[in-house]
Amino acid sequence: AQSVTQLDSQVPVFEEAPVELRCNYSSSVSVYLFWYVQYPNQGLQLLLKYLSGSTLVKGINGFEAEFNKSQTSFHLRKPSVHISDTAEYFCAVSRMDSNYQLIWGAGTKLIIKP
Amino acid sequence: EAQVTQNPRYLITVTGKKLTVTCSQNMNHEYMSWYRQDPGLGLRQIYYSMNVEVTDKGDVPEGYKVSRKEKRNFPLILESPSPNQTSLYFCASQGSINSYEQYFGPGTRLTVT
């Protein structure tokens, strides 16, 4: 079975400061990794995904994430946040043989302080 | 515009009164899914469907029913809602096993009193 842990339920950060949102997973099989973002009062949308190849993946809105197999982590980063990044961010994994079935983390709320 | 729509967006009801939340996608996607979102728990899958007339239970199916008579529609049915089903519900769809992206509806906030 797979599981996903997002270590922080909330991350407050000043505008224009860098941010890292942490995600660790456990799985006995190879997985695909995803970050989704949920803006206030909206559904979720895909931010970025890791399928294979380069361990550093870039997504929309200046976000990037690095897959670290040895540490089973997939942390999300942005060098300079804006007020518009205020949202909840969800890490998810899926088995490679069943990528419809996503296992979700509990989410991290990114709070931008002016 | 490619989208997943849900109706209603907000619903307040009483215990035991049957309700249906509709979900429709216009992208000809094979896979559709229902999730509930509760604070601190992330998203938990209720039911999913791999194609027309093919549905299966997710992690928290108790108290819910679904049907998939047409490819575009995947309604969620609560036959006898209870207060523990108060939650935010999302419908999602995915095009194929190789598309690696789920598209979400805007959510339905359900309150059962």
Side-chain angles (χ1 to χ4, degrees):
Chain A
Q2 295 77 46
S3 67
V4 178
T5 302
Q6 291 184 244
L7 297 162
D8 305 296
S9 60
Q10 291 189 87
V11 173
V13 62
F14 286 105
E15 197 168 14
E16 298 185 9
V19 70
E20 177 179 84
L21 306 183
R22 296 179 293 170
C23 173
N24 287 87
Y25 70 94
S26 68
S27 177
S28 56
V29 299
S30 296
V31 295
Y32 297 131
L33 297 141
F34 306 84
W35 276 98
Y36 279 77
V37 59
Q38 183 182 25
Y39 297 107
N41 299 314
Q42 295 186 27
L44 285 75
Q45 63 184 86
L46 183 66
L47 198 57
L48 51 78
K49 60 183 180 283
Y50 175 77
L51 305 180
S52 65
S54 172
T55 56
L56 183 65
V57 291
K58 294 188 184 298
I60 60 173
N61 301 335
F63 283 91
E64 63 181 31
E66 185 154 21
F67 169 53
N68 187 318
K69 189 173 184 178
S70 62
Q71 297 188 3
T72 60
S73 68
F74 190 53
H75 300 333
L76 182 70
R77 301 185 183 102
K78 186 170 183 178
S80 175
V81 297
H82 302 283
I83 196 76
S84 58
D85 294 321
T86 298
E88 189 159 17
Y89 294 80
F90 291 92
C91 182
V93 303
S94 72
R95 293 168 54 118
M96 286 187 172
D97 60 351
S98 179
N99 79 81
Y100 287 135
Q101 301 303 101
L102 293 171
I103 308 300
W104 297 86
T108 299
K109 288 185 178 176
L110 179 59
I111 300 166
I112 310 298
K113 299 185 288 185
Chain B
E1 179 191 355
Q3 60 182 348
V4 179
T5 57
Q6 292 179 230
N7 282 292
R9 293 288 312 276
Y10 302 91
L11 180 59
I12 301 173
T13 190
V14 296
T15 298
K17 186 176 181 181
K18 181 180 178 179
L19 65 92
T20 299
V21 183
T22 64
C23 172
S24 183
Q25 49 93 5
N26 62 1
M27 296 169 279
N28 201 36
H29 284 174
E30 294 176 350
Y31 179 86
M32 297 185 75
S33 178
W34 276 102
Y35 296 97
R36 60 178 289 173
Q37 182 183 12
D38 301 290
L41 297 178
L43 276 75
R44 293 180 292 169
Q45 190 178 52
I46 303 170
Y47 269 93
Y48 65 96
S49 170
M50 300 288 283
N51 215 322
V52 175
E53 302 291 2
V54 180
T55 63
D56 209 345
K57 296 177 180 179
D59 299 316
V60 289
E62 293 77 22
Y64 304 95
K65 286 175 58 176
V66 293
S67 68
R68 187 94 182 270
K69 294 184 170 55
E70 307 166 278
K71 200 170 188 178
R72 63 184 293 129
N73 296 324
F74 190 45
L76 179 69
I77 303 155
L78 284 72
E79 295 270 4
S80 183
S82 62
N84 66 10
Q85 293 178 298
T86 292
S87 187
L88 180 58
Y89 292 86
F90 287 102
C91 180
S93 71
Q94 182 170 334
S96 70
I97 197 78
N98 295 320
S99 63
Y100 308 111
E101 179 173 0
Q102 292 197 7
Y103 293 82
F104 283 79
T108 295
R109 186 165 293 281
L110 172 66
T111 302
V112 184
T113 61

